[in-house]
Amino acid sequence: MEIKLVEAQIEAILFTMGEAVELDRLAMAIDHDEDTARKIIQNMMDRYEDESRGICIIELDGAYQLCTKASMYETIIKITHIPKKHVLTEVLLETLSIIAYKQPITRMQIDAIRGVKSDHPVNKLLEYNLICELGRLDAPGRPILFGTTEEFLRCFGLQSLDSLPAVNPEKLEDFKLQAEEEAHQLTLDI
Amino acid sequence: MEIKLVEAQIEAILFTMGEAVELDRLAMAIDHDEDTARKIIQNMMDRYEDESRGICIIELDGAYQLCTKASMYETIIKITHIPKKHVLTEVLLETLSIIAYKQPITRMQIDAIRGVKSDHPVNKLLEYNLICELGRLDAPGRPILFGTTEEFLRCFGLQSLDSLPAVNPEKLEDFKLQAEEEAHQLTLDI
Amino acid sequence: MSIPVKLEVFEGPLDLLLHLIEKNKVNIYDIPIVEITEQYLDYIKQMESRDLEIMSEFLVMAATLIKIKSRMLLPAPESEEEEELDPRQELVDKLLEYKMFKYVSDKLKDKQEDASRVMFKSPSIPKEISDYKEEIDVEELVGDLTLSKLHEIFTSIIKRQSDKIDPVRSKFGKIEQEEIDLSHIFTQIQEYGIAHKVFYFRNLLESQTTRMEVIVTFLGILELIKLGRIKIDQEYILDDIKITYMASDVITMEEAGF
C-alpha cells in the first residue's frame, strides 16, 4: 500500500529531524501536495493515540514533531535515574595513575608513556571528574594540560597533591640498572 | 492492557534516550524482570516490521536502540543533510577485521598477520571509537589487548560479534580450488 | 624486465606478494618461487621509500623468499625418515590468512555501507528533568581502591617503560638514521672479492651488524651471482656460504643495469 509507505517516510523524517518540520518541507520530501500530507499526518496522529505507543506527533504552528506522550513522564524520569554501571577499568586506572604522578601532563605525553592513543580513557576520567584541565602548555599547538581534581583528593583521602607517595629518583635509577643488567646477560644473536 | 502500557513505556524510553539502552536498565524502568522485558521487546520489534513504520528497534549486544529503517534513507536525505561518516581506508578496514575476528589481540599479533607495523591504523581506529583497549595480556611486556566497541557493531549493522560474516575453513578451500583452476587454465613458464 | 612506470602502492610485503601471485595467475599452494622472488626483488628495487621502517619490512620478506628459494634449489635429503616439509608452507599459510582478512574486510565494507543508511536520533531528555546529568558516584567508583594500589600501578608502568629503553643504544645519544647505500655495499663486496678471491659470506658481515646491512649485503651477493661475477657453494645446509670471486674488476650498479 502506497499510503503505508508514505506514513513510514513521515515517521522516519520526524524521527531523524528531532525538531519540528514544516508541512511544506514534509510534503516535498514525500512527493505529495500539502493537503494530502496533512491528511496523512492527521491519520497517523490518531493511530499514535493507541495505548501501546509511547510517542506521538504534535502540531506546532503548521509544523510537526515527534515527542513522547506526557503520560510517559514518570517512566522517563525513572530511566534517567537508573545509573549506568561505571567501573574504573585497568585502562582508566593506568591513565589516572600517570596523570596523578606526572601532572601537569599533556595527552601526547600520556600517549607516549602508555604507547597508545589515550583519548578515550582521558575523556572518561574527565567525565568522572577525577581529572580536569589545568591550562595549556606554552608550546606549539598549545596542548591542554591535565591534572587531578579535588574530588580525586577527597576520594583517596589526600590533603594535597604533596601527599601523593613519591616515586623517588633512586627508584628510577634502580629500574635503569636492572634493565641494563638484563641486556648484558643477553648475547646478541645477529 | 498492562502489556500495551509497557510497550509504550519502552518506546518512550528508547525515543528519549536516543542511544542504546541496556536490557537490565530497561527492565528496571518498566518494573519487570529481564526475561519478560526481552520478550516484550522482541514482540515490538516484529510489529515495527510493518510497512507503515519508518523506524525500528535494533539490538546491539544486549542493548536496544531506535533507528530509522535503511529503506527510508532516500527520503531522509531529501530533507536533511546527513554528515558523512568516516570513510575507512583499506588499511583501516583490514586492521579492523583482524581485530574483530581475533579479539582480544595485541598489536604485535596484528602486525604479524598484516606483515607490517600497525600503529597508525590502530590509533586511528581508537580515535574513531571502533576499537578499544580491553586490558593487558599477562605476558612479558604486558602488551595491550584490543577489541571492538558497541560503535563498531552499530556502524556495521551487527547485532553482536556472532553476526560477523562467517569465515569458515570451507572458504579457505574455495580459495584453494579457485587458485587451482586458474593454474590449470594457464601454462606456466617457470 | 620492464616495470610499469607508475608503481602501485602496496600496504606491505604480503599485499605485494598476493598481487604478484594474482598477476601471474599462479596457484598460491604451488608458488613458482624463483619467478615470484625475482619479480618481488624487481619491485622493491623500484621503491623509493624514504621510510626505512617500511622498507625494512619489504626487505625482510625478500630475505625470506630468497631463503625459501635456496632451500628449494637444494636437493631434498634422501634418507630422512620424516617427509621434508615444503619450504613454502609457512609463507603459504601466512598468505592465506592475510588473503582471508582481505576478503572479510571487503564483506565488512559492504556491511558498513548498508548500515550507513540507518539514522539515529540524539537524546531528547525533557528540559524539565533538569537533574538529568547523570550522577556519577565517584566515591563508589573509586571503591576500595587505595592510594598505594594507584602507586603500584604507576610504578609498574614506569618500570615497563624503562625496560623498553635499550640501555646500550640509549647511551649512543641521538642516533642519526643511517642511509644504507646499496651501491656502496655492492662495490665493497667486489673490492673484498678482488682482494680475497675465495671467502665466506660471514667474512663480509664482520663489520656489519644491523639486520638491514645483512639483508642488503645478501641482496648484493644475489645480484653478483645473477651477473655471473661470483659463484657460491654451500656444502651442507646452514653451512657458511663459500664465495668465489671470478671477475677481476669492479662494476658499478649503473653499469650492471639497475
Side-chain angles (χ1 to χ4, degrees):
Chain A
M1 277 293 280
E2 142 81 336
I3 193 103
K4 282 194 165 196
L5 177 66
V6 175
E7 289 184 359
Q9 289 175 334
I10 292 171
E11 188 178 52
I13 289 170
L14 294 182
F15 176 83
T16 309
M17 301 297 282
E19 61 203 34
V21 184
E22 294 77 23
L23 181 64
D24 56 340
R25 286 178 76 201
L26 265 175
M28 214 161 19
I30 59 171
D31 275 331
H32 281 280
D33 59 71
E34 294 186 21
D35 264 355
T36 315
R38 187 184 297 109
K39 271 181 207 139
I40 294 172
I41 297 171
Q42 291 293 348
N43 209 20
M44 287 173 74
M45 286 166 98
D46 286 347
R47 276 192 294 115
Y48 273 103
E49 285 309 311
D50 188 280
E51 52 182 331
S52 74
R53 303 301 309 268
I55 54 177
C56 60
I57 300 177
I58 51 166
E59 189 185 340
L60 298 159
D61 226 2
Y64 297 89
Q65 183 170 6
L66 262 186
C67 63
T68 52
K69 289 182 179 168
S71 57
M72 294 294 124
Y73 189 73
E74 298 301 325
T75 309
I76 291 164
I77 289 186
K78 209 164 163 190
I79 188 88
T80 55
H81 282 83
I82 298 172
K84 273 194 222 162
K85 277 191 207 87
H86 294 281
V87 240
L88 281 181
T89 58
E90 201 182 344
V91 183
L92 293 182
L93 276 176
E94 201 177 288
T95 313
L96 180 61
S97 75
I98 293 169
I99 295 171
Y101 285 93
K102 290 271 190 177
Q103 60 188 306
I105 186 171
T106 68
R107 214 183 306 232
M108 259 183 58
Q109 290 168 324
I110 302 169
D111 292 353
I113 294 175
R114 300 197 57 237
V116 67
K117 274 234 187 234
S118 305
D119 301 45
H120 191 73
V122 168
N123 288 341
K124 269 271 174 252
L125 292 170
L126 281 169
E127 188 191 323
Y128 294 162
N129 193 29
L130 286 167
I131 63 164
C132 61
E133 297 181 15
L134 294 179
R136 286 178 183 273
L137 185 67
D138 196 11
R142 310 222 344 108
I144 299 170
L145 290 163
F146 296 95
T148 51
T149 58
E150 270 180 44
E151 187 77 30
F152 169 83
L153 293 178
R154 194 164 37 244
C155 285
F156 285 92
L158 292 171
Q159 268 167 7
S160 73
L161 283 178
D162 296 335
S163 27
L164 270 179
V167 183
N168 56 28
E170 277 163 44
K171 189 90 191 162
L172 274 179
E173 275 308 304
D174 276 2
F175 290 151
K176 271 191 204 144
L177 284 174
Q178 259 175 32
E180 267 173 40
E181 254 164 50
E182 279 162 20
H184 273 298
Q185 282 159 14
L186 289 167
T187 19
L188 299 174
D189 52 344
I190 301 171
Chain B
M1 277 289 281
E2 139 81 334
I3 194 109
K4 281 196 164 194
L5 177 65
V6 175
E7 288 186 359
Q9 288 176 333
I10 292 171
E11 188 177 56
I13 290 170
L14 295 182
F15 180 84
T16 305
M17 302 302 276
E19 62 197 32
V21 184
E22 295 79 18
L23 182 65
D24 57 343
R25 290 178 76 207
L26 266 173
M28 237 190 293
I30 60 170
D31 273 329
H32 280 279
D33 60 74
E34 291 186 21
D35 264 354
T36 314
R38 188 186 296 109
K39 272 183 207 137
I40 294 173
I41 295 169
Q42 291 290 350
N43 212 16
M44 289 173 75
M45 285 167 107
D46 286 346
R47 278 194 290 114
Y48 273 101
E49 287 305 311
D50 189 277
E51 51 181 333
S52 74
R53 304 301 309 266
I55 54 177
C56 59
I57 301 177
I58 53 163
E59 186 184 343
L60 295 163
D61 225 358
Y64 298 88
Q65 186 166 13
L66 266 185
C67 64
T68 61
K69 291 181 179 168
S71 55
M72 294 293 122
Y73 182 74
E74 303 301 335
T75 308
I76 295 168
I77 53 170
K78 266 197 226 165
I79 204 163
T80 184
H81 165 77
I82 289 152
K84 258 257 172 268
K85 292 209 178 112
H86 301 296
V87 182
L88 297 182
T89 60
E90 299 261 321
V91 187
L92 291 185
L93 268 171
E94 188 180 300
T95 311
L96 184 58
S97 43
I98 292 170
I99 296 171
Y101 283 88
K102 292 270 189 178
Q103 60 187 308
I105 185 170
T106 67
R107 197 154 18 190
M108 260 183 57
Q109 290 168 322
I110 302 169
D111 292 351
I113 294 175
R114 297 191 57 233
V116 269
K117 285 238 181 258
S118 306
D119 301 47
H120 183 74
V122 166
N123 277 333
K124 266 272 170 270
L125 292 170
L126 278 170
E127 204 177 288
Y128 293 163
N129 192 27
L130 290 168
I131 61 166
C132 62
E133 295 177 44
L134 295 180
R136 287 182 183 268
L137 184 68
D138 197 8
R142 311 236 322 119
I144 296 172
L145 289 164
F146 297 96
T148 52
T149 58
E150 183 189 281
E151 180 66 15
F152 165 77
L153 294 178
R154 199 170 11 246
C155 277
F156 288 85
L158 302 168
Q159 218 177 76
S160 72
L161 287 178
D162 295 335
S163 36
L164 276 172
V167 258
N168 43 25
E170 278 160 44
K171 191 72 215 166
L172 266 181
E173 279 305 304
D174 277 0
F175 286 146
K176 190 174 172 179
L177 284 175
Q178 234 178 304
E180 268 169 29
E181 251 166 54
E182 281 165 14
H184 272 300
Q185 284 159 12
L186 286 161
T187 18
L188 298 176
D189 50 342
I190 305 171
Chain C
M1 172 176 248
S2 69
I3 292 278
V5 187
K6 194 164 179 288
L7 280 186
E8 263 186 82
V9 176
F10 295 97
E11 282 167 34
L14 290 171
D15 201 25
L16 169 56
L17 265 183
L18 274 183
H19 167 80
L20 291 176
I21 286 166
E22 263 154 38
K23 200 183 83 184
N24 288 277
K25 296 201 171 23
V26 293
N27 187 340
I28 199 166
Y29 286 90
D30 188 19
I31 302 168
I33 207 82
V34 177
E35 229 187 352
I36 294 291
T37 304
E38 219 161 87
Q39 290 180 19
Y40 184 93
L41 292 177
D42 272 336
Y43 178 87
I44 61 171
K45 245 179 262 147
Q46 313 274 319
M47 274 175 70
E48 277 182 30
S49 176
R50 293 284 102 189
D51 189 341
L52 265 185
E53 185 110 8
I54 292 173
M55 196 58 198
S56 76
E57 275 157 349
F58 278 93
L59 287 174
V60 170
M61 177 58 78
T64 308
L65 285 172
I66 290 162
K67 195 175 117 198
I68 294 172
K69 181 170 129 184
S70 56
R71 277 184 59 195
M72 291 194 62
L73 292 175
L74 290 169
E78 274 165 36
S79 57
E80 285 295 321
E81 277 169 35
E82 278 173 73
E83 208 177 313
E84 180 84 352
L85 254 170
D86 189 326
R88 296 170 297 185
Q89 193 54 47
E90 205 185 316
L91 180 66
V92 168
D93 290 345
K94 279 197 78 136
L95 279 170
L96 279 177
E97 187 176 36
Y98 181 70
K99 189 172 176 174
M100 173 75 90
F101 282 114
K102 283 201 83 98
Y103 165 82
V104 290
S105 70
D106 220 48
K107 292 239 144 189
L108 279 180
K109 192 181 185 175
D110 293 345
K111 285 217 154 247
Q112 191 195 19
E113 228 168 275
D114 293 345
S116 72
R117 302 173 75 82
V118 168
M119 303 302 138
F120 295 89
K121 171 186 163 296
S122 42
S124 50
I125 316 285
K127 278 211 179 65
E128 59 270 28
I129 310 178
S130 52
D131 59 347
Y132 176 80
K133 209 190 155 282
E134 204 192 325
E135 283 297 321
I136 297 163
D137 187 342
V138 183
E139 235 160 280
E140 198 189 300
L141 188 65
V142 170
D144 53 5
L145 178 70
T146 58
L147 201 55
S148 68
K149 173 77 181 150
L150 200 65
H151 183 236
E152 202 179 288
I153 294 168
F154 180 71
T155 319
S156 75
I157 296 165
I158 297 302
K159 178 170 180 344
R160 205 154 56 222
Q161 238 205 337
S162 54
D163 278 353
K164 258 191 284 182
I165 301 166
D166 178 341
V168 180
R169 283 193 206 188
S170 65
K171 286 220 176 95
F172 293 160
K174 193 170 167 14
I175 301 173
E176 292 297 324
Q177 207 163 46
E178 208 179 315
E179 285 287 325
I180 300 208
D181 186 349
L182 181 58
S183 66
H184 178 66
I185 288 182
F186 192 68
T187 312
Q188 265 189 345
I189 300 170
Q190 296 179 73
E191 282 165 355
Y192 194 91
I194 291 170
H196 296 83
K197 285 295 168 212
V198 178
F199 55 100
Y200 289 90
F201 185 58
R202 196 163 294 268
N203 299 138
L204 286 175
L205 301 178
E206 268 161 8
S207 59
Q208 297 158 358
T209 42
T210 70
R211 185 163 72 162
M212 186 71 118
E213 282 172 320
V214 176
I215 292 166
V216 172
T217 306
F218 198 61
L219 286 177
I221 292 286
L222 287 173
E223 281 311 325
L224 290 167
I225 298 173
K226 215 164 99 183
L227 292 169
R229 300 181 76 86
I230 58 173
K231 115 177 145 52
I232 61 163
D233 294 293
Q234 188 183 34
E235 213 162 326
Y236 302 105
I237 301 174
L238 297 179
D239 227 15
D240 203 354
I241 302 166
K242 189 166 125 190
I243 302 167
T244 314
Y245 195 77
M246 299 185 300
S248 53
D249 58 340
V250 173
I251 182 173
T252 64
M253 287 193 44
E254 291 72 39
E255 287 165 338
F258 44 78

